Amino acid sequence: METRFSPALSGALAMVVCGFLWSLAGLFIKVLNWNPFLIAGLRSLIAFLFLLALVGTVRLQWSKALFGAALANAATMLLFVAANKSTTAANAILLQYLAPVFTAAFSVLFLKERLYREQVLALLMTIVGMVVLFLDRLSPGQLAGNLMALTSAFTFSLMFIFTRMQKDGDPLHSFMASHAVAAVVALGAAAFLPLPVFTGTALASILALGVVQIGLASLFFSYGIKRVSAVTANLIAVIEPVFNPVWVFLVLGETPSANTIAGGALILGSVTAASLISARRIPKYA
């Protein structure tokens, strides 16, 4: 996947593709009339099998960073599913994407990565953009669901930190382990719920979720996180909730609100500018 771009820029572009792929979740999940645990479990199982076919072995090179990343990513996926069951989807997404705030603090403390002015400004603009993006869909929700969503922001940020620690290794192994854990836990919970109707459209959707939305995304993430800082990677990942309604509009015809357009433009503008400026600091991120 090496390119003619600088390492920092190619890493940023890989994270952009990852964010695009992650954002497909809303479109395919809308098609699936299944309980969230079955969706999460089968999606992770398919992603694990997809990555296993690429890697060719389950003999992972275990390390503290791999173990931490695997648990953090699995916890994020499971907490987000649980949060969506207990609060509104908008609340869950908004709270989870406070993750860059945690990542900024952790990257300075644990990775000794320096925060630059463009990153701090993008971080502030991203928070404002996320509030604008979901302002017309927020509700008090339930305290338990909101707390789970906030906890998923914490674990999501840890995933960026632990995978960045593997910049000299293979972060893809962390995703294999995390999808295995998430599949076991989510499918275990789904076993106690009624079985849904398995249609051709539903099966195609769950395959797309597993192979493309998180399986293929894991490849681009693993490439990108080795070449950009944890903060840059997490900021770029915020394009996921921005493009989620775009795909739904293009395929299902659901028109995004003015808040969605304004918030999305603010996020995209600030993240793009910060990423282009940061990409020039090649020695700092290589």
Side-chain angles (χ1 to χ4, degrees):
M1 198 186 289
E2 292 297 334
T3 71
R4 59 187 176 87
F5 300 114
S6 70
L9 184 54
S10 61
L13 290 173
M15 291 305 305
V16 169
V17 176
C18 175
F20 278 143
L21 295 175
W22 279 349
S23 71
L24 292 170
L27 174 62
F28 289 113
I29 288 175
K30 274 185 172 289
V31 177
L32 286 166
N33 189 24
W34 295 358
N35 72 75
F37 290 102
L38 183 61
I39 294 173
L42 284 180
R43 181 182 68 166
S44 284
L45 176 61
I46 293 168
F48 172 78
L49 294 175
F50 171 72
L51 295 177
L52 177 61
L54 293 177
V55 174
T57 179
V58 291
R59 298 177 66 180
L60 309 181
Q61 298 177 355
W62 288 98
S63 65
K64 291 181 180 179
L66 186 149
F67 186 73
L71 288 183
N73 193 43
T76 299
M77 291 186 288
L78 295 171
L79 281 166
F80 189 68
V81 168
N84 272 278
K85 293 284 288 183
S86 305
T87 188
T88 65
N91 285 14
I93 295 172
L94 177 62
L95 289 169
Q96 187 188 51
Y97 272 91
L98 290 176
V101 177
F102 294 117
T103 302
F106 292 154
S107 65
V108 173
L109 289 173
F110 303 121
L111 300 178
K112 308 304 179 185
E113 292 181 341
R114 179 181 172 184
L115 288 181
Y116 292 95
R117 283 176 294 181
E118 72 270 10
Q119 293 175 321
V120 175
L121 182 60
L123 185 62
L124 294 174
M125 291 300 97
T126 294
I127 293 172
V128 174
M130 287 294 292
V131 173
V132 173
L133 189 68
F134 293 105
L135 192 61
D136 56 347
R137 285 175 281 173
L138 293 178
S139 67
Q142 295 183 6
L143 179 60
N146 291 340
L147 287 176
M148 283 188 286
L150 188 59
T151 304
S152 75
F154 179 78
T155 58
F156 194 35
S157 67
L158 287 178
M159 188 267 287
F160 283 88
I161 298 300
F162 283 122
T163 50
R164 178 62 178 164
M165 288 179 180
Q166 300 171 64
K167 63 181 180 180
D168 296 322
D170 190 356
L172 193 61
H173 288 175
S174 297
F175 285 99
M176 290 182 65
S178 67
H179 290 315
V181 172
V184 170
V185 175
L187 290 177
F192 295 94
L193 298 172
L195 283 176
V197 177
F198 291 90
T199 64
T201 301
L203 292 175
S205 296
I206 196 65
L207 279 172
L209 283 170
V211 173
V212 179
Q213 191 259 326
I214 58 172
L216 192 58
S218 298
L219 293 176
F220 283 97
F221 185 101
S222 299
Y223 177 88
I225 197 65
K226 291 164 67 72
R227 292 162 177 80
V228 296
S229 72
V231 174
T232 296
N234 204 167
L235 280 171
I236 295 174
V238 178
I239 68 172
E240 177 192 351
V242 174
F243 279 92
N244 192 303
V246 172
W247 307 133
V248 174
F249 166 70
L250 291 175
V251 178
L252 302 179
E254 291 186 12
T255 304
S257 66
N259 281 5
T260 298
I261 296 172
L266 186 59
I267 292 170
L268 285 178
S270 60
V271 170
T272 300
S275 298
L276 290 174
I277 295 171
S278 295
R280 293 189 170 191
R281 306 182 191 273
I282 298 173
K284 300 293 183 183
Y285 292 138

